[in-house]
């Protein structure tokens, strides 16, 4: 039996188990599944694995309990994978947690098999396959390395990595793409990444290769749809939703190849389409996106205390897609809802469970059925104060079960229902049209089968509150001050408070102090400072005491700039004009005098500009105007701004985007030029026409060229609007021939004017002769010199060098040398290493043949130990410095002398001395600090340095006197 004083309660979960992925290579040899419940008395716990109870005692090798949490030690995949749930029990009942899975995560290494070389021509599309290894869970992220770690592929509109397969797509291969590629697969669930072997990549219309599948997502998730196409020119990717506009909560990533939908909702379901477009054609793909929903409570049970013999219906409703199924548990056992005429046995822990294929949710509640006689201990009746002629309600709410019956008395007189007095079903007493004679003490009597109780309440009657000075209507211009005044009479024994509101909303004078200010006690004044249009409305003054309140209202009119026009749309368009129509916005009590029209296009970077119109001035009574001087075949948005004598209002919402009609191009390409290249070809270059001057679809270029000594022009068409280079090849073309060249633009509407003519020379032949290497020798352990004889028709030379251990093509190094030079110094070499060296000439047509390969052996390195200074001694105007000899190791060069650098402090020139001895005399400087550095010298270079500093003649004299003392 639960009495009113009961303090115990059934279990309430504070922590429940969650899905866990345990990495197979984890160094932590345990898994912890949480289960903690608040309960009084404390709960006991049991755990289930795949609906079978775990015997903690019998299986303590792997299982242990810590405050309800299950710890799995040394997990074994074959034993411990599955669905776990826990139950918490005390004397009030049992509840069961939601299920949570334990899975083992892994990511195997890539196959060690050699990857096949991908061969592709420049300008074509390429796909490099990743082939990720076996793994769990399914979600991986992918990146690609180019040639060596950590040089990652930078993704753009030409290169894309599919995050489903890991494949690398290159829409149009360039010469710089040649190299070795490695796929990196990363599993964030187990914090592991693996690398594939390197895949070599050796030197049409839009063709979609990455296509998103039919996709099912849950409400609130983020969804990424992928589309990527191969093609030359590089295709553009466009997205749309077939049944309407793309959701507002979307953005485009990876140069448009990914459509990312944030926080997806059911209304975002539908067919999505991606289109890949270039000047050669287009390709498209569409698939369905279905949005379903995890179960979510619409209504669920909560803990209740209910009286004995009362009726109570438990209700649970859940939304979800598919629609969730609902089942019930009482103390962990199946239960059918519906409780009538409650008994004490109905007390316990109840669980409502909603489930669909996406998940399960639990609602837990405790029902306590109690019985007790009436008592006012926890809810005593309070004194009530009301004004004359108003309505009084005296509450009577004792704590009791079953529900008690009620009677009331005033003094010794028993009350019954009448025209003025009424006893409600919940025990409250209502007195209407209160008079002074109703003042006094009232007693409420409550009784049930277990006992009875009473409580006394006092009713005080006061004078009514009345508005004596109501606020008056006001009319001001925006930016001016306005006043509302209010006064009231009231019972002198009570305090009065004035509350101001506008259109039913109470004014927060602290929060809105920028525009509102008040003063007054028995009367009140509200000041609206620098009123704006938004402050207009009905202002109410409420005079309030503890007994009653009364309200009076007035209207404030604020005249200001007009509101935003609505419904802006295009009703007609030509190549350079559009006609707009709109509806008038609010004039805010001042006539609209004019309209301003603004526009923005794809090239304005979201900036709005004032448009030229016809008529030039759009009068305030107009709802239509024509915008002129627009660009053909350009997508525009428009907005309209109204103005009156008080200023300009807010702009309208932008119109739907509209594209003007197409027209013949009028702008020709600029900076026409070219030249270079190989023999028998003519290279023509130009600066492309800006997109806003394309004036129509299917934009391209017509190139006209002819040798200067001929009259007939040859015409070629280039259909790529982004092209800025064209190569014309002709086997009969003589090298370095002057051509007259001109270019014009075209689109589907026609051809534009030609550019200014330019003179461009055809290419020369590549060098045909290999340089003859005269000499190559090592200068030290790190440097070498090579020289050769000049060859004809070169712009420069490339000197390539590599060791026998290095791959010639992949890791060989190069030095570029001007065509005026016939020798170079190679630095940064490895000591004691044999290098192969080749020299070849080049020009704009390409490289000539390489020279005969020369081999050069670099010197052994110098000793890495500095000379040890063993003494200094003054000799008249000199100081003698001595050091120990440096003995080289077998892998170091022989010491053939020493280099001594004398460095005075300041800007004086340093002096370098060489000697075969192990000491040297250095001249002294008067009052000058200096430093001496000593290094061993070898054919491999100079070794490590020893350094000694001298502070000046004073220190030298000190050394001299010390030597005299030693002699004595």
């Amino acid at each position: 039996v639960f009495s009113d004083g009961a303090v115990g309660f059934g279990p309430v979960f504070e922590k429940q188990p969650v899905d866990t992925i345990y990495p197979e290579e984890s160094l932590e040899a345990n898994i912890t599944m949480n289960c903690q419940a608040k309960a009084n008395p404390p709960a006991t716990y049991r755990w289930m694995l795949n609906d079978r109870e775990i015997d903690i005692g019998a299986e303590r090798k792997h299982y242990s309990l810590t405050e309800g949490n299950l710890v799995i030690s040394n997990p074994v995949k074959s034993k411990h994978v599955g669905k776990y749930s826990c139950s918490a029990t005390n004397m009030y009942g049992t509840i069961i947690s939601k299920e949570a899975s334990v899975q083992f995560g892994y990511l195997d290494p890539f196959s060690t098999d050699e990857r096949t070389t991908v061969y592709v021509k420049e300008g074509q599309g390429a796909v490099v396959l990743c082939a990720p290894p076996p793994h769990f869970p399914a979600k991986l992220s992918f990146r690609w390395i180019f040639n060596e770690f950590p040089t990652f592929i930078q993704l753009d509109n030409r290169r894309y990595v599919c995050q489903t397969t890991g494949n690398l797509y290159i829409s149009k291969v360039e010469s710089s793409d040649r190299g070795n590629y490695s796929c990196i697969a990363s599993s964030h669930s187990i914090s592991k990444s693996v690398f594939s072997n390197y895949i070599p990549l050796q030197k049409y219309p839009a063709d979609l290769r990455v296509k998103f599948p039919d996709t099912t997502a849950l409400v609130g998730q983020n969804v990424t749809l992928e589309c990527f196409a191969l093609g030359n020119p590089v295709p553009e990717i466009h997205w749309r939703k077939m049944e309407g506009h793309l959701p507002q909560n979307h953005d485009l990533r990876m140069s448009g190849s990914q459509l990312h939908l944030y926080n997806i909702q059911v209304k975002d379901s539908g067919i999505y389409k991606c289109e890949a477009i270039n000047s050669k054609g287009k390709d498209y793909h569409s698939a369905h996106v279905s949005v379903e929903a995890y179960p979510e409570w619409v209504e669920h049970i909560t803990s209740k205390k209910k009286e004995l013999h009362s009726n109570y219906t438990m209700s649970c409703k859940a939304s979800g897609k598919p629609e969730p199924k609902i089942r019930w548990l009482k103390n962990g056992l199946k239960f059918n809802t519906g409780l009538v005429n409650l008994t004490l046995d109905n007390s316990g822990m109840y669980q409502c469970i909603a489930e669909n294929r996406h998940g399960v949710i639990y609602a837990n509640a405790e029902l306590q059925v109690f019985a007790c006689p009436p008592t006012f201990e926890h809810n005593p009746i309070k004194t009530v104060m009301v004004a004359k002629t108003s309505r009084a309600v005296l509450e009577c709410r004792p704590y009791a079960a079953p529900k008690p019956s009620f009677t009331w008395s005033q003094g010794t007189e028993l009350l019954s229902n009448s025209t003025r007095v009424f006893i409600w079903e919940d025990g409250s007493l209502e007195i209407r049209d209160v008079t002074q004679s109703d003042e006094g003490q009232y007693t409420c009597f409550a009784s049930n089968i277990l006992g009875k109780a009473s409580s006394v309440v006092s009713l005080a009657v006061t004078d009514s509150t009345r508005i004596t000075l109501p606020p008056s209507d006001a009319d001001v211009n925006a930016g001016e001050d306005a006043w509302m005044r209010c006064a009231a009479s009231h019972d002198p024994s009570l305090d009065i408070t004035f509350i101001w509101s506008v259109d039913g909303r109470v004014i927060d004078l602290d929060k809105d102090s920028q525009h509102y200010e008040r003063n007054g006690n028995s009367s009140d004044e509200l000041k609206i400072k620098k009123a704006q249009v938004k402050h207009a409305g009905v202002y109410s003054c409420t005079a309030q005491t503890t007994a009653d309140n009364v309200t009076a209202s007035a209207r404030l009119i604020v005249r200001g700039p007009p509101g935003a026009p609505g419904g802006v749309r295009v009703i007609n368009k030509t190549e350079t004009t559009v006609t707009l129509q709109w509806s008038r916005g609010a004039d805010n009590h001042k006539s609209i005098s004019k309209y301003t029209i603004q526009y923005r296009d794809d090239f304005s970077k979201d900036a709005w500009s004032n448009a030229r119109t016809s008529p030039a001035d759009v009068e305030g009574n107009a709802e239509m105007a024509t915008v002129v001087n627009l660009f053909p075949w350009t997508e525009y948005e428009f907005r309209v701004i109204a103005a009156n004598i008080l200023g300009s209002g807010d702009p309208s919402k932008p119109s739907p985007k509209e594209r003007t009609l197409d027209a013949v191009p009028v702008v020709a390409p600029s900076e026409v030029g070219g030249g270079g290249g190989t023999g028998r070809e003519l290279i023509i270059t130009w600066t492309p026409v800006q997109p806003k001057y394309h004036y129509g679809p299917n934009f391209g270029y017509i190139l006209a060229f002819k040798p200067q000594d001929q009259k007939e022009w040859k015409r070629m068409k280039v259909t790529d609007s982004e092209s800025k280079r064209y190569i014309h090849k002709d086997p009969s073309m003589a090298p370095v021939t002057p051509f007259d060249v001109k270019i014009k633009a075209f689109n589907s509407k026609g051809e534009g004017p030609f550019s200014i003519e330019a003179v461009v020379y055809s290419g020369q032949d590549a060098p045909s002769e290999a340089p003859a290497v005269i000499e190559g020798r090592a200068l030290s352990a790190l440097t070498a010199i090579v020289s050769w004889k000049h060859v004809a028709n070169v712009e420069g030379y490339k000197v390539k060098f590599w060791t026998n251990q290095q791959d010639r093509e992949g890791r060989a190094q190069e030095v570029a040398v001007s065509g005026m030079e016939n020798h170079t110094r190679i630095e940064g070499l490895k000591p004691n290493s044999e290098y192969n060296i080749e020299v070849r000439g080049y020009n704009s047509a390409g490289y000539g043949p390489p020279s005969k390969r020369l081999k050069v052996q670099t010197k052994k390195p110098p000793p890495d130990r500095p000379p040890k200074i063993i003494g200094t001694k003054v000799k008249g105007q000199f100081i003698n410095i001595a050091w120990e000899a440096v003995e080289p190791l077998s892998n170091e060069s022989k010491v053939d002398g020493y280099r001594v650098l004398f460095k005075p402090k300041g800007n004086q020139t340093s002096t370098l001395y060489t000697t075969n001895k192990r000491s040297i005399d250095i001249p002294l400087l008067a009052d000058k600090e200096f430093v001496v550095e000593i290094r061993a010298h070898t054919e491999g270079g100079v070794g490590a340095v020893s350094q000694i500093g001298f502070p000046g003649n004073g220190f030298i004299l000190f050394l001299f006197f010390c030597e005299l003392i030693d002699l004595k």
Side-chain angles (χ1 to χ4, degrees):
V1 177
F2 295 91
S3 68
D4 174 55
V7 294
F9 55 89
V12 178
F13 279 123
E14 294 182 312
K15 291 184 180 179
Q16 298 190 58
V18 296
D19 291 341
T20 300
I21 295 176
Y22 177 75
E24 290 186 355
E25 301 174 12
S26 175
L27 299 177
E28 296 184 13
N30 60 69
I31 301 171
T32 299
M33 304 293 284
N34 289 326
C35 184
Q36 291 185 22
K38 180 172 62 174
N40 187 11
T44 58
Y45 300 90
R46 292 184 302 133
W47 279 88
M48 308 286 286
L49 170 57
N50 298 329
D51 297 325
R52 179 184 65 84
E53 185 174 353
I54 300 173
D55 188 339
I56 305 288
E59 301 187 54
R60 57 173 173 247
K61 178 180 178 182
H62 288 293
Y63 294 112
S64 60
L65 272 183
T66 303
E67 296 181 350
N69 300 330
L70 179 68
V71 179
I72 308 171
S73 302
N74 302 311
V76 178
K77 187 174 183 179
S78 59
K79 290 184 178 181
H80 300 125
V81 167
K83 295 281 189 179
Y84 288 77
S85 63
C86 75
S87 64
T89 304
N90 72 0
M91 61 180 288
Y92 294 100
T94 299
I95 55 175
I96 297 177
S97 75
K98 65 181 181 181
E99 286 188 332
S101 66
V102 169
Q103 299 284 348
F104 280 57
Y106 62 93
L107 175 58
D108 290 347
F110 277 92
S111 169
T112 57
D113 294 343
E114 184 175 347
R115 304 296 287 264
T116 304
T117 300
V118 177
Y119 293 94
V120 63
K121 293 182 179 179
E122 187 172 342
Q124 292 182 336
V127 181
V128 187
L129 303 181
C130 178
H135 58 278
F136 181 87
K139 179 67 174 177
L140 295 178
S141 63
F142 299 94
R143 290 186 295 174
W144 282 79
I145 294 174
F146 181 58
N147 284 334
E148 61 182 359
F149 184 86
T151 305
F152 294 104
I153 295 290
Q154 298 299 313
L155 304 182
D156 49 32
N157 66 337
R158 195 174 62 84
R159 294 175 293 192
Y160 181 73
V161 175
C162 176
Q163 292 302 313
T164 303
T165 63
N167 296 343
L168 170 64
Y169 295 83
I170 305 175
S171 64
K172 186 180 75 171
V173 171
E174 298 177 353
S175 59
S176 60
D177 295 321
R178 181 182 179 186
N180 297 307
Y181 294 78
S182 175
C183 179
I184 306 176
S186 301
S187 173
H188 299 292
S189 300
I190 61 174
S191 301
K192 182 180 178 181
S193 297
V194 290
F195 298 68
S196 75
N197 284 347
Y198 277 100
I199 306 165
L201 180 69
Q202 298 294 345
K203 194 171 177 180
Y204 36 102
D207 178 15
L208 279 167
R209 290 300 184 92
V210 179
K211 302 177 181 179
F212 64 98
D214 287 341
T215 302
T216 299
L218 293 179
V219 168
Q221 287 184 334
N222 298 334
V223 175
T224 299
L225 307 181
E226 298 180 300
C227 265
F228 188 76
L230 308 183
N232 184 6
V234 176
E236 293 182 356
I237 304 293
H238 300 279
W239 292 87
R240 62 192 182 99
K241 187 169 182 277
M242 301 300 288
E243 299 87 355
H245 298 293
L246 288 174
Q248 288 187 342
N249 50 321
H250 85 275
D251 67 9
L252 297 177
R253 298 177 175 178
M254 307 304 297
S255 300
S257 296
Q258 289 184 349
L259 173 65
H260 194 70
L261 306 176
Y262 293 96
N263 189 25
I264 198 166
Q265 301 298 313
V266 173
K267 62 183 174 64
D268 299 329
S269 298
I271 297 175
Y272 287 76
K273 182 178 181 180
C274 68
E275 288 184 332
I277 303 172
N278 66 8
S279 57
K280 301 291 184 64
K282 65 180 179 179
D283 192 8
Y284 68 88
H285 168 72
S286 60
H288 195 272
V289 175
S290 301
V291 182
E292 298 190 347
Y294 190 87
E296 185 176 354
W297 291 121
V298 176
E299 178 184 345
H300 64 81
I301 54 176
T302 57
S303 294
K304 296 287 186 182
K305 279 188 174 184
K306 302 300 290 184
E307 301 95 340
L308 183 68
H309 303 318
S310 64
N311 294 334
Y312 176 51
T313 300
M314 291 186 174
S315 178
C316 270
K317 295 180 182 178
S319 62
K321 189 178 180 183
E323 183 178 350
K325 294 181 179 179
I326 293 180
R327 53 191 174 92
W328 292 82
L329 299 177
K330 177 188 176 186
N331 293 329
L333 303 175
K334 289 184 178 179
F335 168 74
N336 294 322
T337 58
L339 300 173
V340 180
N341 194 18
L342 291 175
T343 66
L344 297 177
D345 290 337
N346 295 130
S347 295
M349 301 302 301
Y350 291 82
Q351 290 181 281
C352 172
I353 304 166
E355 184 173 11
N356 66 11
R357 63 170 170 256
H358 299 299
V360 57
I361 53 176
Y362 290 71
N364 305 328
E366 180 180 3
L367 174 61
Q368 290 188 1
V369 180
F370 70 96
C372 67
T375 175
F376 289 93
E377 180 180 352
H378 301 292
N379 194 18
I381 301 177
K382 300 176 181 178
T383 298
V384 176
M385 183 179 294
V386 297
K388 294 174 183 177
T389 72
S390 63
R391 168 178 168 268
V393 176
L394 310 182
E395 291 185 345
C396 182
R397 294 184 180 176
Y399 197 75
K403 182 179 177 180
S405 59
F406 300 95
T407 57
W408 280 87
S409 68
Q410 181 183 16
T412 59
E413 180 186 355
L414 193 64
L415 300 177
S416 59
N417 290 340
S418 66
T419 56
R420 290 183 59 242
V421 178
F422 184 76
I423 300 175
W424 293 358
E425 187 178 350
D426 68 356
S428 298
L429 176 65
E430 179 183 359
I431 305 173
R432 300 172 182 170
D433 196 19
V434 172
T435 64
Q436 191 66 48
S437 62
D438 292 322
E439 191 171 69
Q441 289 190 331
Y442 292 79
T443 303
C444 174
F445 299 91
S447 63
N448 66 10
I449 59 174
L450 297 178
K452 60 179 65 176
S454 64
S455 183
V456 177
V457 59
S458 295
L459 176 64
V461 179
T462 67
D463 291 336
S464 299
T465 304
R466 288 182 173 81
I467 297 288
T468 57
L469 176 62
S472 301
D473 293 343
D475 188 333
V476 297
N477 290 334
E480 297 177 348
D481 295 338
W483 286 266
M484 292 284 173
R485 296 178 176 83
C486 183
S489 63
H490 61 95
D491 191 296
S493 65
L494 303 176
D495 292 329
I496 189 169
T497 302
F498 290 91
I499 300 172
W500 285 94
S501 61
V502 56
D503 294 333
R505 178 183 63 84
V506 174
I507 298 172
D508 186 333
L509 294 170
D510 293 326
K511 183 178 178 181
D512 298 332
S513 60
Q514 181 181 358
H515 288 288
Y516 293 107
E517 182 181 289
R518 60 172 286 186
N519 57 62
N521 292 314
S522 60
S523 63
D524 204 70
E525 181 178 80
L526 178 69
K527 180 181 180 181
I528 301 98
K529 300 182 290 184
K530 297 181 180 179
Q532 303 299 313
V533 171
K534 65 181 180 180
H535 298 128
V538 175
Y539 282 75
S540 298
C541 166
T542 299
Q544 179 176 290
T545 68
T546 54
D548 66 343
N549 63 77
V550 63
T551 299
S553 303
R555 179 174 295 278
L556 172 64
I557 295 175
V558 180
R559 303 178 186 273
V568 180
R569 62 191 180 96
V570 175
I571 60 173
N572 189 34
K573 62 184 178 181
T574 68
E575 294 89 343
T576 58
T577 69
V578 300
T579 300
L580 294 177
Q581 189 176 61
W582 62 88
S583 57
R584 295 167 58 87
D587 63 10
N588 291 328
H589 310 290
K590 285 291 184 181
S591 298
I592 298 173
S593 57
K594 68 173 183 175
Y595 289 99
T596 300
I597 298 176
Q598 295 183 327
Y599 71 89
R600 66 181 177 189
D601 56 33
D602 294 336
F603 316 109
S604 59
K605 297 182 179 179
D606 294 331
W608 290 91
S609 302
N610 288 344
R612 286 193 171 187
T613 61
S614 177
D617 296 320
V618 183
E619 300 294 334
N621 59 357
E623 294 186 17
M624 184 185 302
T626 298
V627 180
V628 299
N629 293 354
L630 299 176
F631 284 97
W633 195 248
T634 300
E635 196 170 63
Y636 286 95
E637 290 178 285
F638 300 92
R639 68 182 187 183
V640 181
I641 302 172
N644 59 22
I645 61 173
L646 296 178
S648 296
D650 293 329
S652 68
K653 290 182 178 180
S655 69
K657 290 184 178 181
E658 283 282 351
R659 187 183 293 276
T660 50
L661 300 182
D662 53 345
V664 175
V666 297
V667 176
S670 60
E671 298 180 358
V672 177
T678 64
R680 282 56 172 181
E681 69 180 24
L682 173 67
I683 297 178
I684 302 172
T685 61
W686 64 92
T687 298
V689 175
Q690 295 180 34
K692 68 179 179 179
Y693 296 110
H694 287 184
Y695 284 11
N698 302 319
F699 184 87
Y701 303 99
I702 294 175
L703 283 63
F705 51 91
K706 67 177 183 64
Q708 282 192 331
D709 58 357
Q710 297 181 16
K711 294 184 178 181
E712 184 176 349
W713 292 85
K714 183 181 290 257
R715 288 166 59 104
M716 300 298 297
K717 183 176 284 190
V718 177
T719 58
D720 183 0
S721 63
E722 297 179 3
S723 291
K724 50 188 175 183
R725 185 171 183 262
Y726 177 78
I727 301 176
H728 174 68
K729 296 188 177 182
D730 184 349
S732 64
M733 186 187 304
V736 198
T737 299
F739 280 77
D740 292 327
V741 178
K742 57 185 178 180
I743 306 175
K744 65 180 174 179
F746 74 91
N747 62 21
S748 58
K749 201 74 174 177
E751 300 177 3
F754 271 114
S755 66
I756 298 173
E757 290 185 17
V759 177
V760 179
Y761 287 84
S762 61
Q764 57 187 331
D765 290 330
S768 58
E769 183 183 357
V773 176
I774 299 174
E775 179 189 23
R777 59 186 174 87
L779 299 179
S780 68
L782 304 177
T783 60
I785 190 170
V786 61
S787 59
W788 57 89
K789 288 185 177 180
H790 278 301
V791 294
N793 194 28
V794 299
E795 296 174 5
Y797 297 93
K798 279 287 178 71
V799 180
K800 181 183 288 187
F801 55 95
W802 68 96
T803 65
N804 290 331
Q805 291 77 29
Q806 291 175 320
D807 174 69
R808 172 181 173 183
E809 295 300 327
R811 301 180 62 186
Q813 297 172 273
E814 292 182 341
V815 175
V817 182
S818 165
M820 305 296 292
E821 302 288 341
N822 70 335
H823 65 278
T824 189
R825 183 185 180 101
I826 304 174
E827 299 181 334
L829 303 178
K830 294 181 179 180
N832 198 24
S833 299
E834 185 179 65
Y835 276 85
N836 302 292
I837 301 176
E838 285 182 355
V839 183
R840 63 172 66 189
Y842 68 89
N843 58 24
S844 60
Y847 288 96
S851 67
K852 289 184 179 180
R853 190 176 301 171
L854 178 71
K855 293 186 180 293
V856 172
Q857 177 75 34
T858 55
K859 308 291 186 181
K860 292 181 180 180
D864 61 359
R865 299 162 305 287
K868 182 179 179 182
I869 298 174
I870 57 176
T872 58
K873 188 173 183 181
V874 177
K875 291 183 176 181
Q877 297 299 314
F878 295 87
I879 184 167
N880 179 266
I881 304 172
W883 58 87
E884 290 183 352
V886 177
E887 297 297 334
L889 303 177
S890 61
N891 61 345
E892 295 175 335
S893 293
K894 179 181 177 182
V895 176
D896 56 21
Y898 296 90
R899 294 194 174 183
V900 181
L901 182 65
F902 176 73
K903 296 167 59 177
K905 187 175 181 180
N907 297 324
Q908 293 189 19
T909 304
S910 300
T911 304
L912 179 66
Y913 301 92
T914 59
T915 179
N916 294 323
K917 300 178 180 180
R918 286 179 292 153
S919 64
I920 192 170
D921 292 335
I922 301 294
L924 294 175
L925 296 177
D927 296 325
K928 286 286 186 179
E929 297 180 24
F930 58 92
V931 172
V932 176
E933 295 179 350
I934 306 169
R935 294 178 175 85
H937 181 267
T938 72
E939 65 174 1
V942 293
V945 63
S946 284
Q947 189 179 76
I948 184 170
F950 296 94
N953 272 354
F955 180 72
I956 302 301
L957 290 173
F958 172 73
L959 290 177
F960 178 73
F961 285 123
C962 287
E963 291 172 6
L964 290 177
I965 294 170
D966 288 344
L967 289 173
K968 291 181 179 180

